[in-house]
Structures are given as structure tokens and as C-alpha cells.
Amino acid sequence: MRKTKRAGGTPHVPRALRRGAAVLGLTALALLGVQPAAQAETPADPGPTATTTTSAPTRLDTLSGTSGESASDEPATDLEPLCGTPAKGRARCFAMRATDEDPVRPLTATQTPAGLGPQDIQSAYSLPSDGGTGQTIAIIDAYDNPNAEADLAVYRSQYGLPPCTTDNGCFKKVDQRGGTNYPTVSEGWTGEIALDLDMVSAAAPNAKILLVETDNAGFENLGAGVDLAVSMGAKYVSNSYGRSGDFATDAETWGSHYDHPGVAVVAASGDNGYGVAFPATLSTVTSVGGTNLVADPDSLRGWSETVWKRNFYGPGSGCAANQPKPDFQKDTGCAGRSVADVSAVADNLAVYDSFGTGGLGWMRYGGTSASTPLIAAVYAVAGSPRPATYPNAYPYRSQGAGLNDVTTGSNGTCDAAYLCTAGPGYDGPTGLGTPSGLAAFRSGPSGTLSGVVTDAKTGKPVAGATVGSGADVATTLTDGSYSLNLPAGTVDGLTVTMFGYATTEPISVDITEGQTLAHDFNLQPLPRVHVRGTVKDGSGQGWPLYAKLSVKGSPEAPTWSDPATGEYDVLLPENADYSLDVTAALPGYEEATRKVTVGGGAVTADVSLTADADAGTAVGYTRQLTDHTEHFDTTTAAPTGWTVTNADGTSNGWEFDDPIQRGNYTGGSGAFAVAESDNGPIGPHQDSFLTTPVYDLSDAQSAELTFRTAYLNNIRNQQMTVDASADGGATWENIWAGPDVSGGEQKLTVQVPLRKYAGESSLKLRFHFVANWGYYWAIDDVNVQARTMLPADGALTVGTVRDADTGKGVVGATVADASAPDTTAALTAATPDDPAIGDGFYTLFLPAPGRHTLTVGASGYDTVTRTVVTRADRVTTKNVNLTATG
């Protein structure tokens, strides 16, 4: 007989905890997540299937609605750690991910990710675009990321990097014994893996990547992963994890795993500001700090860097008094090992991660977890370390060559100021500096080649040109000058490349150790041809769109389409292939990339942009939301269309009658679905699937899964995942993984993007619970929401509002439809990025094509009315002059 629900909703304490309560005490129970439940929220009940239509906002307060941003923009997001505080003897990953006020949405493959990409990193650190050939970089991480290779492919494709796959031999994933018995999943570490793979790809696009996934985050396992990577031939090993503090037993217990002469073993200094972390404290590794990197067109370098600092977070640094000071470190404020050695960018980095609740597609990442694989990759591009040497010594012996000295910023307070505050020369947060080419990361003798690059026709300096030979490159500064460190001896194949210019013929130079050789270059500009086309709405309205078109790889200013006709015209060098990134000025449209092949004559390339169903803000559209919701109101069996499948030996699979009268702590109300692993004999086993009916998303442009959940988890004995199938259950892929730490969670609402399944007619989902003497997992209010944008009857009007006397644009003027007062007004905006359109620009959606009366006014000006006649699928131009009051 089932028990009745306890009055007051007292939370169930699992038998395993009750058995040990007398020993553990109440404090230990609290640490394990057993807390009194708060009052359950009662959500609105949309019913099993509900369709709603919402009007898209039409107010145009800003011109730009793009999801990306230029590299020069200061990141507007905060960062949060992906991994929690580790248990004793375990490491924490140092990856950090940006947070926003609104949920981060996945971008389509054609959109431009926010944050710094490979080309930015290569430019800032004077790295070649094809570095790493013939080298293998190892990444050591705990737990498994099932989507690692697929997500890596998305990142590399987005930025035009060569494919790196298992099939072509570039990518290899192994467990800590070198096999394919991959460990369990930890959602925090999946993000770390995605970050590591993308950063290695950014700095060394042609290198091979070895991903070693260890059983867990214990140092004995992570250390075994390092040893395995070295035994498999990797000469560059990245370790983006650590444990705070410096203990005398560290080197004795685990130090041998990180002691491999002739191998660049690289470790993150940590993210908690001043203070050190193991294994970065070891004298045998390269300890990596972090910087904030921002495009600075007014500087000669084109970039500026300061110590990375975001809220409470910053790079680790300080004095590891329990570790011996390496001979090459000469700072006097620390008798032991000083941290860090070198540094790299640790903020505002574009990363693609699709796994689990945090895997929302393109996001910004940071932390010294980003800096570390970048430095490991720079070592790989610089070439193989000399046998029997420790590569962490190389930057100290370069005497500043090949390094950008970071001199501003701090990560905290300390007695020896240089250990926490940047300044000229060595400092703790950034070490000796960031890469400026490869000279500081190679072991052999070298010299310098310097000069100026100019336009052969005009004689003017050419900024941003790449001077290089193989792996060694430098970028010309704003005055056309360059300085390139090269290995001593004869260097062949030296060329200069620049967008819009013919690549120079390769030359050979003789480099003498410690000397500087001068050589100037002239670049011949290439003939150009017209690429023309029209940008239009592609979701049903069909009207022309005002949009920005940027040429990938081009340093030149973007081109803008005409606001009324959507037409554009850009001159591109002949006989080459290009990618045009197209971004609508109107908010709510997805970006697109248009491939263009240019020969010797003019080319036509039209572009259609799609209204984004996830944003739902495109003017002239309403968003239709179709919800398929299950509340589990039936307690005797699975809901209609749902199935429970238990593997052999399973007891206590998915149930719906609250078998131990736990109560609904998911945040839902009434009945719920639950898998109990603590309801039966000691050591019960569960392997149970709860599978949904088929969802038809054939008419959807996007979709999302949400569900409420409560659980008490033991990561050693319990796994909770959600899988999806686009073929009615024939094949499955993971879309959400449960927590990677033990403990409890109540009233958690999980959101999982299903955009990739939009258009599918046979989507099924399954909730998979696996446990051996675990605890429980409860879910309620499972909803699959289909999203579609529907065009509304109406047309667009664009124009500029100017001062009648001065002709200057009036920013902040209101343009409203007096014929339809319920229509949201537009505000005129500044247009600093488009030289062809003055300030005071507006775009207004007018319902029902035909005659409309516009009311236009601004503070300090007389209000006027103007008549405009609109037509469907067209954009009507209406410019207005305002007279100052009085």
C-alpha cells in the first residue's frame, strides 16, 4: 500500500543518508544537498498542446541588432566558472563562460559569433595562419565530451580553418589508457574540452590534436593522462586545470607526471586572482597567466593588453615557496617558484559548445583555461623543443624578443607588488608578457629582420600586411614597419601578403645570431571587379533590407546595402574566392554568409536573410509558439504516447505515483515522474528510459525543450541524461547531461535548444536514468515548444530626420503612424558605421500597405505630419526636415 503524502511537504531523506545521519550530523547532510524544500511554484497550465501568437516588437531604438560584435568592442558580459570547488585530491577546470541577462541562444552556422576568433588571435600575437604543421598538441581533461569532434568541426568551419577529424588523422580522442572506453560525462568539463580544442585550433590550425579524457579529475588520473600523451608522441601538453595552494608534498606526490624534458608541459595559473595553483607551481611546467585583449587601431601594434580582471576573477600569480626556484627566474621578491611565466588572452573568446544545458552553441569563454592551450599551441608553431631542455626556460632566455610586455592591471594586493601588479619586465599576473611571434618560444639562436612595407603605386605605408617565412610571421604596424625574429642561418621563402595586393615573390635572407637585417618591400595592388547584388527578407515579407556586408579576411571597412532597395556594390580583387558576412541593420534577423567566386568580370550575388524565430523580434512578423506539454497528471501509468523501458535487472524504474511519498519539489504541482534508486534493497540497479511521443516539427523554424526537475545526485553511482532522435527512435544523440557534482537541486528549470531538429517530422526525446545505489531524479512539466515566424500585413518605410536649418541628422526623433496609433513608433538613430547614411535614420513598419500619415517630432523641434504611400514587398523612403521651436 502506498503512503499518503506527508503534511507540509517534508523532504525525503534517502535511506543511505538516514543510515549515516547519526555519524554525519546535520551539517554533513546539508552539504550533500538535503535541505527543506521551499514552497512549490504553481505555473500557468497551457494544457497538453497550446498555440499562441505574439506580436514582434517594432520599436527600433538602435540601428544594430546583430548577435556578434567586432573584436574591438569591450565584452559586455560577466564570466562564471564552469566547474565547482573540487574534492580533496581533485582538480577544478579553469574554464569560464559568459553570462547574460537573457538566456544565450545558439547561433546558426551562418552567423558571426561574438568574441575573438582565430584571425584576431593570429593578428594580435603575430602568428601564421597555417602554423603547427607536423606537430601534435595534447589536451588533458577529465571526463568525456561526446560532442567534442562535432563541435570542433563547427568552430573550424566557421573560421575557415582546415578540417581536423578522426578520418583525416588530425583529431584523436582516447581515454587515459589510450583506448576508447571513454569516461562518464561531466557538464562543466565538456565546456572546458570545447574551449581547449577551439583555442589550440585558433593558434595552430595545422597541428594535430590529441584529446586525453581521464576517468575523473583526480590528480593521479590527470597525471596519468599527461604521461600517456607524452608516450604517444605529443611534445606540447596543455593542462587547463588546477587546485589552489602550494604544498610541500605536491612535487613528491604528483610532480613526476609533469616532468618531461624536451616537452612543453603548460599549466594554467588559475582564475581566482592573486594566489597560486598546482600544477602551475611546478618548476618543470610553463605557468600561464591571463590578459584582456582589445583591438586598438590607434596603437602601432593594433591591439592593447592589460591584466585580465573580471569581477572577483583574475589570473593566479604569486610565490610558490614550497617549490624550488628555476635557475632562469631572477626576480628577487620570491625565494621559490614565481607564477606566472608568460600569458595570453583570457576573456571574450568565441567558443562553440553544444553539449548539455550549458551547451548553447556559440558563447564567449575565458579564464586561464583559454590562455593555456593558446600558449601550448604557440610552442607547437615555434617548433620542436630541444631534447633534454625545459621549454619554460625559453621565454626567459629570449631577453624580451618575441614578447609583448603587459604593463598595466592587477589581480589583487600583495607584499611584493610585482607579483600581483603588472609593470615593465617580469610580473606575476602576466609573466614576461604575451607572444609577439615565435622567438620567445623556441630554443635555437635567432636574429631580426626589419623594414617597411609600402604601396608600389602610391608609396604610402601598408598597415596590417603579413611578412613571413613558414611559421615565422610579423604584421606591419600603422606606419608600415615590421620586425620579424627569424632563426639564425639562411631563411628561404620569405614573402609579404596583404588583402588587395599581389603576394611578393619569395626571397632568401641570411640571418646572423643577435643581429638585425634591414629589408623593405613594395606591394602591387591587384585589379578589382564589382560584386553587386540585393539583400532581401527571406521569410515571407520579401522586402529589401538595409544590411552590412563584410568580406572575411579583409581589413577594409564593410559595405552597406541601400536602405530602400537593398542593393549593394563592393569592389573585390579579381581571381579569388570570398565569403560575404551579411548582417541586417534591423534587429531580429539571422546573419548569413554568401560565398562568391570572382573572376575577371562583374559578379551578381543576391542574399536572403531569415527572421530569427528564437529572437522573435523581426518587425513585420508575429511569432507563433506551439507548446506540447506533459504534466504527468496520471499516476497509474505513463501518459498517453509515453513509454517506460527498463533494462534487464532494473528495479524501481520511472514511476508516476510518488512511490515513497517524496512530494513534488520540481517547482511543478500535482503528480510528476520520478526514478527512485533508494527505494528498495541495498544496492538496487536502475537503467530506465522515459520516452516521449513523436513530435512533428516539420513547420517549425526553431524549437526548445524545457522541463522542471529536482534530484539528489551521486556522480559515482548515478547518471541523468536526455537524448533526442530525429528518426522516430532508430538512432539517438545526447542533448543534455546531468550535473557533474554530487548534491541536490530543486526547482531547477532546464532549457535545451532543439533548433537543429526544426523541420523534422519524427522527433522523440528520452530521459535516461542509470544508477547503482544512487538517489533519485524527478521531472515535471516537460514542454517541447515549436517556433515559427509568420509575416504580418504591412510594409516598411525608411528615411532620415534632419534639422531644417543645419541639415544635420536629428537623433532620438519619434516617427509614428497617426493612421494606426497602436503601432509602435520608431526612434531615429545614429549611423556611425555607414558613411553613406547620415544620423537621424529610422525604419518603421506600417500595417496594411497604402496611404499613411506620419507624425514626426523631437525635443526642441516643431512636430510635423507627412503622408507616405507604401506597397507590399517594397520599402518606401520618406525623409523629413524639422524646424527648431521658436
Side-chain angles (χ1 to χ4, degrees), residues 71 116-132 155-156 158-162 197-207 293 301-303 305 344-345 349 374 377-378 381 404 434-438 464-467 470-476 484 497 553:
L116 301 170
Q119 288 74 25
D120 298 312
I121 292 166
Q122 292 161 17
S123 169
Y125 296 140
S126 295
L127 302 176
S129 61
D130 57 354
Y155 180 87
R156 294 176 73 102
Q158 170 68 40
Y159 292 109
L161 306 181
L197 293 174
D198 290 356
M199 293 305 96
V200 164
S201 299
N206 283 9
L293 175 69
R301 179 186 169 198
W303 298 87
E305 283 183 281
V345 58
L349 290 151
L374 286 173
V378 173
V381 177
N404 302 301
T434 62
S436 177
L438 306 173
T466 299
V467 184
D472 298 289
V473 297
T475 302
T476 57
L484 175 62
T497 58

Side-chain angles (χ1 to χ4, degrees), residues 397-418:
R397 294 169 183 166
S398 75
Q399 298 182 339
L403 291 166
N404 302 301
D405 190 9
V406 181
T407 59
T408 58
S410 173
N411 65 353
T413 58
C414 56
D415 292 334
Y418 76 94

Side-chain angles (χ1 to χ4, degrees), residues 138-158:
I139 294 168
I140 313 301
D141 282 306
Y143 303 104
D144 179 38
N145 181 343
N147 295 3
E149 183 172 358
D151 287 354
L152 176 63
V154 173
Y155 180 87
R156 294 176 73 102
S157 175
Q158 170 68 40

Side-chain angles (χ1 to χ4, degrees), residues 648-725:
D648 292 341
T650 291
S651 59
N652 311 331
W654 285 99
E655 299 176 85
F656 309 93
D657 58 350
D658 195 3
I660 63 172
Q661 299 302 290
R662 177 182 301 282
N664 189 346
Y665 295 111
T666 67
S669 61
F672 57 98
V674 64
E676 296 279 4
S677 186
D678 196 33
N679 180 31
I682 293 176
H685 171 69
Q686 287 79 36
D687 188 350
S688 184
F689 296 94
L690 176 60
T691 306
T692 70
V694 170
Y695 300 110
D696 184 357
L697 303 181
S698 54
D699 293 331
Q701 292 175 249
S702 188
E704 183 179 68
L705 163 69
T706 60
F707 61 91
R708 300 178 186 269
T709 187
Y711 56 78
L712 186 60
N713 183 40
N714 182 330
I715 60 171
R716 290 182 177 273
N717 301 341
Q718 182 175 319
Q719 293 182 50
M720 302 171 285
T721 57
V722 181
D723 305 318
S725 172

Side-chain angles (χ1 to χ4, degrees), residues 10 71 124 155 170 222 265 409 463 488 496 547 564 617 627 654 679 799 814 857 875 880:
T10 304
Y155 180 87
C170 174
L222 291 164
V265 180
V496 183
T617 57
D627 292 291
W654 285 99
N679 180 31
T814 301
V875 175
V880 180

Side-chain angles (χ1 to χ4, degrees), residues 62-204:
T62 61
L63 184 66
S64 174
T66 63
S67 56
E69 73 175 359
S70 69
S72 62
D73 291 336
E74 181 71 20
T77 53
D78 290 331
L79 295 172
E80 64 179 5
L82 267 64
C83 296
T85 302
K88 183 178 180 180
R90 295 203 174 193
R92 165 186 169 181
C93 76
F94 287 137
M96 305 192 77
R97 186 164 52 214
T99 60
D100 292 298
E101 293 181 2
D102 299 320
V104 181
R105 296 182 297 102
L107 304 181
T108 64
T110 58
Q111 287 181 293
T112 302
L116 301 170
Q119 288 74 25
D120 298 312
I121 292 166
Q122 292 161 17
S123 169
Y125 296 140
S126 295
L127 302 176
S129 61
D130 57 354
T133 301
Q135 306 293 349
T136 298
I137 303 169
I139 294 168
I140 313 301
D141 282 306
Y143 303 104
D144 179 38
N145 181 343
N147 295 3
E149 183 172 358
D151 287 354
L152 176 63
V154 173
Y155 180 87
R156 294 176 73 102
S157 175
Q158 170 68 40
Y159 292 109
L161 306 181
C164 188
T165 66
T166 301
D167 290 342
N168 69 12
C170 174
F171 177 78
K172 187 176 182 67
K173 183 172 88 168
V174 297
D175 62 31
Q176 73 179 58
R177 286 158 291 277
T180 57
N181 186 23
Y182 304 123
T184 58
V185 173
S186 165
E187 194 167 317
W189 283 84
T190 59
E192 175 66 66
I193 291 171
L195 170 63
D196 291 345
L197 293 174
D198 290 356
M199 293 305 96
V200 164
S201 299

